[in-house]
Amino acid sequence: MNFELSEDQVAYADMARAFAQNELAPHAARWDAEAIFPVDVIKRAGELGFCSLYAPESVGGLGLSRLDASIIFEQLSMGCTSTTAYLTIHNMVTWMLADFGTPEAVEQWGARLATGELLGSYCLTEPGAGSDAASLKTTAKRDGDDYLLNGSKMFISGAGSTDFLVVMARTGGEGAGGVSAFAVDAKAEGISYGRKEEKMGWNSQPTRMVTFEDVRVPESHLLGKEGDGFKIAMKGLDGGRINIATCSIGTAQQAINKACEYMQERKQFGKRLAEFQALQFRLADMVTELVAARQLVRMAATKLDAGHADATTYCAMAKRFATDVGFKVCDEALQLYGGNGYIKEYPMERYVRDTRVHRILEGTNEIMRLIISRRVLAEGAGEL
């Protein structure tokens, strides 16, 4: 195993780091405070390929591996966690359309999503179907050559400000096998958006409920075949779990960077904080756990790239571990700042707020434990 980055990966990381430092970090606090969705900056990210990192080149994507994408997202999240998290969602939506869409649907949206000219949202969660996604109630019923979409989705990132939706809806009976996936114009007649949720974090991207009332969707906008929706959703979430775990890692790394600077400057009892052994030990533990989390995430990304039979389990382990560690490291970094960490003049409280939700979305960490334990109980852990 080679844990060193290739020359190309180093170049990707350098490009992403420069974008994060120049375009994201200087504005992240204001975007958070004023709940600004920085569409113009996201479109500039698209010009560099950051809106379609692992979408195929056939639609204008970069066609990179999930490992390459993780390396890039880590650097971007050091500039703004919330905006990078939205970029990961847009990447997932673009990939879903490119991989499962009909030629007509890809022709209509693919290239413009890949460049960031159009922005996308992912619509799976419902008021009564969060962790139990297979129980969703939104329906898509055949009406001639179209489907009529009815139902509601909630906690949808970007909703109301995006142009394109991937929507999971029930076309058949109960359970996962009755779910299908659709490409939907976000401005289509019959779609309405709820109020923008006031959230603890992730404030640079809007979150709204989306309601569908007899929304007409052409048959050509079905992704895959009828009944493939849940499988498509789960494939998307494997990558999404790596992505969100990566956002936790990048934010935690930046929290450590800032904490180190602060410890070198801040004095108490006549000594710099960096000279107190108790704080040195705390910092050592933070870095060690972060490195372990990063390597697990990159291992999971490699398994997903290779099509490994246990890729889903590895993605679940990476998501569970890295989002827990990322939040813990940010919280510990805030503690190193003392009272200053709690005020908005410093970024620590934003890092804590933004990483907290990572333990909930893309499948809660409790669901990740179920995925892992079921695999182990069924087949044992020896082959993992």
Side-chain angles (χ1 to χ4, degrees):
M1 286 181 278
N2 183 2
F3 293 99
E4 299 303 317
L5 301 186
S6 68
E7 289 185 10
D8 285 346
Q9 289 168 336
V10 170
Y12 297 148
D14 289 345
M15 180 173 65
R17 185 181 306 111
F19 187 86
Q21 291 174 348
N22 296 326
E23 300 283 357
L24 300 179
H27 313 292
R30 180 172 64 87
W31 294 340
D32 173 68
E34 300 177 20
I36 293 171
F37 186 39
V39 172
D40 55 337
V41 175
I42 292 169
K43 291 184 184 297
R44 287 202 290 278
E47 293 171 3
L48 295 175
F50 295 155
C51 285
S52 54
L53 292 174
Y54 49 87
E57 295 179 7
S58 59
V59 298
L62 295 186
L64 298 180
S65 69
R66 299 306 177 96
L67 176 59
D68 294 337
S70 177
I71 290 163
I72 291 169
F73 287 139
E74 180 177 344
Q75 295 299 323
L76 293 176
S77 61
M78 292 173 70
C80 181
T81 313
S82 173
T83 304
T84 302
Y86 171 74
L87 280 169
T88 72
I89 295 166
H90 177 87
N91 269 265
M92 180 173 68
V93 166
T94 303
W95 168 79
M96 283 181 165
L97 174 71
D99 263 37
F100 301 104
T102 63
E104 294 88 345
V106 172
E107 172 72 20
Q108 182 172 346
W109 288 298
R112 291 189 292 167
L113 286 169
T115 61
E117 178 186 346
L118 300 181
L119 300 180
S121 293
Y122 178 60
C123 302
L124 174 63
T125 301
E126 298 182 359
S131 295
D132 184 13
S135 69
L136 62 84
K137 300 300 183 186
T138 296
T139 61
K141 296 183 178 179
R142 289 300 296 259
D143 184 48
D145 292 333
D146 299 334
Y147 290 87
L148 289 180
L149 197 59
N150 284 280
S152 295
K153 301 290 182 178
M154 70 184 305
F155 302 145
I156 306 305
S157 292
S161 299
T162 51
D163 311 283
F164 173 80
L165 311 174
V166 168
V167 181
M168 302 297 160
R170 189 164 300 284
T171 53
E174 294 298 311
V179 177
S180 298
F182 296 89
V184 180
D185 185 338
K187 307 297 194 300
E189 184 177 354
I191 299 179
S192 58
Y193 297 94
R195 64 180 176 84
K196 185 165 71 171
E197 301 289 355
E198 295 185 9
K199 307 189 297 291
M200 175 179 173
W202 271 30
N203 289 316
S204 75
Q205 51 170 293
T207 302
R208 290 183 172 90
M209 178 175 282
V210 185
T211 301
F212 305 93
E213 296 183 25
D214 287 334
V215 178
R216 194 165 289 277
V217 180
E219 181 182 14
S220 62
H221 291 179
L222 179 69
L223 302 181
K225 303 187 300 291
E226 277 199 14
D228 284 350
F230 192 78
K231 290 184 288 186
I232 292 172
M234 294 305 104
K235 286 182 179 179
L237 287 175
D238 279 344
R241 287 163 184 161
I242 290 171
N243 291 344
I244 212 62
T246 299
C247 288
S248 289
I249 291 168
T251 308
Q253 181 65 66
Q254 186 68 349
I256 289 175
N257 295 347
K258 294 289 186 182
C260 286
E261 293 174 6
Y262 188 79
M263 289 172 68
Q264 295 288 0
E265 298 169 358
R266 176 75 167 171
K267 289 186 176 181
Q268 290 286 279
F269 304 103
K271 294 176 16 180
R272 291 178 296 117
L273 294 186
E275 297 178 66
F276 288 91
Q277 190 177 67
L279 301 186
Q280 293 171 0
F281 284 6
R282 175 175 290 183
L283 185 64
D285 287 343
M286 291 161 62
V287 172
T288 301
E289 292 187 19
L290 180 60
V291 170
R294 176 183 291 117
Q295 295 307 326
L296 181 55
V297 170
R298 292 183 179 179
M299 180 184 184
T302 302
K303 296 289 188 183
L304 188 58
D305 286 328
H308 192 281
D310 284 315
T312 293
T313 307
Y314 281 100
C315 291
M317 289 191 289
K319 194 270 181 182
R320 201 293 297 169
F321 187 68
T323 57
D324 281 348
V325 167
F327 177 76
K328 178 184 176 184
V329 167
C330 290
D331 187 51
E332 293 281 0
L334 186 154
Q335 189 73 15
L336 291 172
Y337 269 67
N340 284 335
Y342 203 68
I343 62 175
K344 293 194 174 184
E345 180 181 349
Y346 299 90
M348 289 300 145
E349 57 84 32
R350 172 162 47 87
Y351 297 160
V352 170
R353 287 187 291 107
D354 279 346
T355 55
R356 180 60 184 86
V357 74
H358 297 179
R359 299 162 72 192
I360 298 172
L361 49 80
E362 307 287 9
T364 66
N365 284 6
E366 289 73 22
I367 294 296
M368 297 305 99
R369 291 177 172 92
L370 281 177
I371 292 170
I372 299 160
S373 62
R374 285 172 179 170
R375 160 61 178 83
V376 173
L377 289 170
E379 302 179 44
E383 298 302 316
L384 280 173

